[in-house]
Each structure stands twice: as C-alpha cells, then as structure tokens.
Amino acid sequence: MNSTVLTLYIDPGTGSMLFSILIGAAATLFFLAKALFLKLKLFFSGKKGGVAADSSYKKYVIYCEGKQYWNVFKPVADEFEKRGIELTYYTSAKDDPVFNETYKFVKPEFIGEGNVAFAKLNMLSAGFVLMTTPGLQVYQLKRSKRVAHYSHVLHMPNDATTYRLFGLDYFDSVLLTGDYQKDDIRALEKQRGIPQKELVTVGCTYLDVLSQKIKSVPQEENHPFTVLVSPSWGKVGVLARYGEKLLDPLVKTGWRIIVRPHPQSKKSEPEMLKRLETRYKDNKNLEWDYERDNIYSMKKADMMISDFSGIIFDYTFLCDKPVMYVSADMDLMPYDAYDLNKQLWQFAVLEKMGIKLDEKDFDNIKEVIQNASDSPELAAQRKIAKETAWMHIGEAGKRIADYMIQKTGD
C-alpha cells in the first residue's frame, strides 16, 4: 500500500510576512486589552474635578519644559509651599533650580525631555495643569482625557499672539500679564469659531522675581558707559542680520559692549555666534553674556540695542532706561498674530518709548547714541507701557495659586 506524504512549503519571504502579521495582531490585542483594563480601572475608581481619577491622580501639576522658566513658576511654588498644599512639579531639566529648594509640599520630579516627557504628560491624571508650553493638542503634547483643566501662563509681558499658530487655542484658560492681551485672544477665538477660554490677568511672575533680584545686584564702582546688545534669534535678529556691521563700530567707540544672544541662538545658529566670538576675541571692551538671568547685564547697561526681542520690556520695566531698536521685518505668517492683520502692541509701543536706529547710522553710532539722550517724553511712555503690560506687580504668584485652588474647589 502506497502512502503519499504532502509537504507544505512556504518560501522565506511569505513566511516572514506571515510572522510579521502574527506579531502585529498579538501587539494590537495586547494594547486593546491594556486600554480596556485602564478604562475599567478608571470607571471603578471614581471621579475628581469632573474627570475619572485613578491612583496616579495629582490635584495640582506644573510642567516646566526648561530651567529658564524657573522664575515663572517659583512664585507659584512658593505660594503652595506657604499654604501647605501639595503641588507636583514635573520638569524636563535635570538641573532645574527647583531641586535646590527645601520644599516640603512641592514635589519635583524629572520626567525626561521632548517625547519622553510628552508621553508621560499625555497620560496624566490631574485636576489642574499649569504650563508655559504652547501648542497643546497641536504638536506632540496632547490633552489627556484625565485632566480637568489646562492653563497656560504667559512668560512675557508682550503680545499673547506671538506664539506659533494655534499656540493657545486648546487651553481652558490663559493667565495674562496685562488686560490688553485679552482683546486679541478673543478676536482669534471668534475668527476660528472655538470656545472662549477663561482669561485671567494675574501679572508677571518672572518680572516679580527679577525685580527683587536686581535690587540686590550692587552698583559698579568706576562704572564705564555700557551698551547692551540683546537681540532676538533667527535671520531677522540683529546679530544674524547685521553682525559685524553693527558690532564693529560699537567696539570702536571704546565703550564697554555687552552682547547677550538669545538663548535659542546657541541651539539654532551656533556657527554665527562662533564667527563673531572669534572676530572679537581680542577686543577687551566686548563681553559675551550667556548667564541664565539677564539682570546682571541689564544692571550694568546704560542703554540697550535690540530688535523685537521680549528683553526690551524686561529692561524697560526693571531698569527704566532708554532703548534703541533696529527695525526688523518680522514675518508674522507662522504666528497667531498673522491672522489678526493688525500692528502688534509691542511694535506700536516700541515706536513711542524707543529710539529707532537705522543701518545708515551704524558708521557714526557713537554720535547717534550720544545725541539720543533720554527725555521726559520717553520716560512717560515707558511708564505707560509698564502699567499696561505688567499689572498686579508683586502679586502674580498669589493670584495664580488662588485661581488654581478656586478651579479645583479647595
């Protein structure tokens, strides 16, 4: 009796494909089961603040994306500590200054950078989350369904529409430095047909911090006349656009020149900075400032030269000294402000309180600066700008803590 043996042959390519399909199906089932387990866990764990809360629930959370924002959050953290209320402080900076504090109720934790941090934040379970990071629900950082309230705190006293497109659209509230910032946010909400956010004017936390710090910086003995060059970054910033054309004549004045590049310049345009640093390495009257706090250079400066950088307002509000600005053709297309088709407040006010410096004036800049003395009119405009953009001076930390607690029902 003959028997026939059938042999099933699968070529390597087909086998590999079938194996991939089986692995993919198994992975899909695993994640579906995990998601179902999480939903059941949330269902039986109850709700807090209108959202389901599990054992990982944090009532109050701050997310700090970099140590440069410590001055924004410190007054808030201090306020929670003073009140004895627990606050979770997530940070993407291993060397965040929060770790140097001796807080009992503020709990700091490093959660990684970039997508590692966002992965944790996207699954967060919390009552109130405060951050300076824009673009919620636009880029990698998403709204967690287990967070009751997302709030953005402005870390600048200038226009709230100078974030990239849709930077503030998906927050539940925005905490402002001045009432003037409300109108443009409302205009964008109406134009885009999105729900109105809560807009609360709290003041400016980091200016509150810097105003106290700068008072403790001693006056220089034998103070030399000092010009601070502190621009924004990018191709329309003063350093990138003019570089040697501006710095050469400034160095020739013999005055002390302090150049403080924007922090982003070190990341985005290091070649430009290296070129300029090499060019002026033998000039004893030119200094480079890369300190985290800008108050030390501002305290030394008798005048600032900038473009559209927000440091203009730091210097004006904290030091009350004249500012010269080089007109920059800022392309607003990538920013929320583009959709408003109007002049930004910061540009309009700079024209009133600042002194315009044209490229044609660079060659005789010493004479231009000597003739551009301060005036009662400029001082008056600086005062108006400060009252407009920096309200509730010294109260921002308390007002933010009050709002967070009020929203969560404590």
Side-chain angles (χ1 to χ4, degrees):
M1 182 176 180
N2 295 329
S3 61
T4 303
V5 178
L6 295 177
T7 302
L8 181 64
Y9 172 75
I10 300 176
D11 66 86
T14 304
S16 176
M17 181 179 69
L18 290 172
F19 183 73
S20 297
I21 292 172
L22 289 171
I23 292 296
T28 301
L29 288 172
F30 171 77
F31 285 112
L32 285 173
K34 186 175 180 181
L36 179 61
F37 173 74
L38 180 61
K39 287 181 179 179
L40 290 171
K41 184 179 178 182
L42 293 176
F43 179 79
F44 290 110
S45 64
K47 293 188 176 183
K48 295 184 181 180
V51 297
D54 62 7
S55 59
S56 68
Y57 179 84
K58 311 290 185 184
K59 195 161 194 177
Y60 304 107
V61 175
I62 282 176
Y63 170 58
C64 180
E65 64 176 300
K67 64 180 181 179
Q68 66 269 34
Y69 298 108
W70 169 238
N71 287 336
V72 176
F73 296 119
K74 184 180 188 304
V76 184
D78 288 348
E79 196 66 31
F80 272 83
E81 183 70 16
K82 184 171 70 175
R83 301 184 191 195
I85 300 174
E86 186 166 306
L87 171 70
T88 301
Y89 186 103
Y90 289 142
T91 177
S92 288
K94 286 184 178 178
D95 55 348
D96 194 307
V98 70
F99 295 115
N100 299 326
E101 300 290 328
T102 56
Y103 290 135
K104 179 180 178 182
F105 295 95
V106 178
K107 310 294 184 181
E109 180 183 339
F110 172 67
I111 61 169
E113 303 173 8
N115 289 334
V116 174
F118 296 154
K120 182 177 181 66
L121 295 170
N122 292 349
M123 294 295 290
L124 196 59
S125 175
F128 193 109
V129 178
L130 179 72
M131 62 178 70
T132 58
T133 311
L136 179 68
Q137 201 63 20
V138 179
Y139 303 112
Q140 296 97 324
L141 181 57
K142 305 298 183 183
R143 288 183 63 106
S144 168
K145 293 180 180 179
R146 297 187 290 158
V147 170
H149 190 101
Y150 283 96
S151 186
H152 182 91
V153 55
L154 295 181
H155 57 278
M156 54 187 180
N158 44 308
D159 294 80
T161 55
T162 51
Y163 288 122
R164 295 276 171 172
L165 284 170
F166 319 116
L168 299 177
D169 283 8
Y170 297 98
F171 285 92
D172 300 299
S173 64
V174 181
L175 308 184
L176 312 174
T177 71
D179 286 342
Y180 86 94
Q181 293 159 333
K182 293 179 180 178
D183 290 343
D184 286 349
I185 295 176
R186 289 288 183 242
L188 286 176
E189 290 170 340
K190 183 176 180 181
Q191 183 184 107
R192 294 171 180 172
I194 58 177
Q196 285 195 347
K197 292 172 282 295
E198 291 189 44
L199 303 179
V200 184
T201 302
V202 295
C204 189
T205 47
Y206 86 87
L207 282 178
D208 287 347
V209 172
L210 293 183
S211 66
Q212 295 303 312
K213 283 187 177 182
I214 202 167
K215 291 175 184 176
S216 66
V217 178
Q219 295 285 353
E220 290 184 296
E221 295 183 10
N222 304 315
H223 170 76
F225 185 83
T226 303
V227 177
L228 172 60
V229 180
S230 191
S232 187
W233 66 282
K235 61 182 180 180
V236 296
V238 161
L239 284 184
R241 187 173 183 180
Y242 299 111
E244 299 88 341
K245 290 183 180 179
L246 174 63
L247 295 182
D248 278 358
L250 277 173
V251 167
K252 289 178 183 177
T253 64
W255 296 330
R256 178 171 60 183
I257 310 300
I258 302 176
V259 183
R260 180 181 171 82
H262 191 281
Q264 187 62 33
S265 290
K266 291 190 74 172
K267 300 178 181 178
S268 301
E269 40 198 11
E271 297 84 5
M272 179 269 293
L273 292 180
K274 184 177 180 180
R275 186 191 81 239
L276 294 175
E277 287 176 1
T278 301
R279 183 181 181 90
Y280 300 107
K281 62 183 175 64
D282 297 325
N283 293 97
K284 304 300 182 185
N285 65 323
L286 188 145
E287 304 173 8
W288 294 89
D289 173 24
Y290 292 105
E291 292 290 329
R292 181 169 61 89
D293 283 344
N294 55 26
I295 55 173
Y296 305 103
S297 289
M298 292 197 301
K299 185 86 173 201
K300 295 175 183 176
D302 297 285
M303 175 173 284
M304 174 187 283
I305 297 177
S306 189
D307 37 49
F308 53 87
S309 175
I311 197 175
I312 288 175
F313 298 102
D314 295 356
Y315 184 67
T316 299
F317 297 168
L318 295 172
C319 301
D320 192 24
K321 294 177 183 176
V323 172
M324 300 190 79
Y325 66 96
V326 181
S327 182
D329 300 322
M330 183 179 178
D331 181 13
L332 295 178
M333 186 172 289
Y335 304 98
D336 278 326
Y338 181 80
D339 286 346
L340 294 175
N341 195 28
K342 56 175 279 194
Q343 186 181 34
L344 290 171
W345 174 86
Q346 62 198 62
F347 293 162
V349 77
L350 186 56
E351 293 174 1
K352 297 176 182 177
M353 71 177 194
I355 304 164
K356 188 175 182 181
L357 178 64
D358 293 317
E359 185 179 358
K360 63 181 175 60
D361 298 322
F362 289 177
D363 289 340
N364 61 328
I365 198 165
K366 185 171 186 176
E367 181 182 347
V368 171
I369 290 177
Q370 287 173 329
N371 293 333
S373 58
D374 202 3
S375 69
E377 290 77 16
L378 290 176
Q381 290 297 329
R382 292 198 298 268
K383 183 174 183 292
I384 292 172
K386 182 176 179 178
E387 291 172 348
T388 301
W390 183 14
M391 299 179 68
H392 308 303
I393 293 175
E395 302 177 9
K398 178 182 181 302
R399 286 174 175 268
I400 293 173
D402 286 345
Y403 180 69
M404 294 174 70
I405 293 167
Q406 173 251 316
K407 289 304 297 183
T408 49
D410 269 6

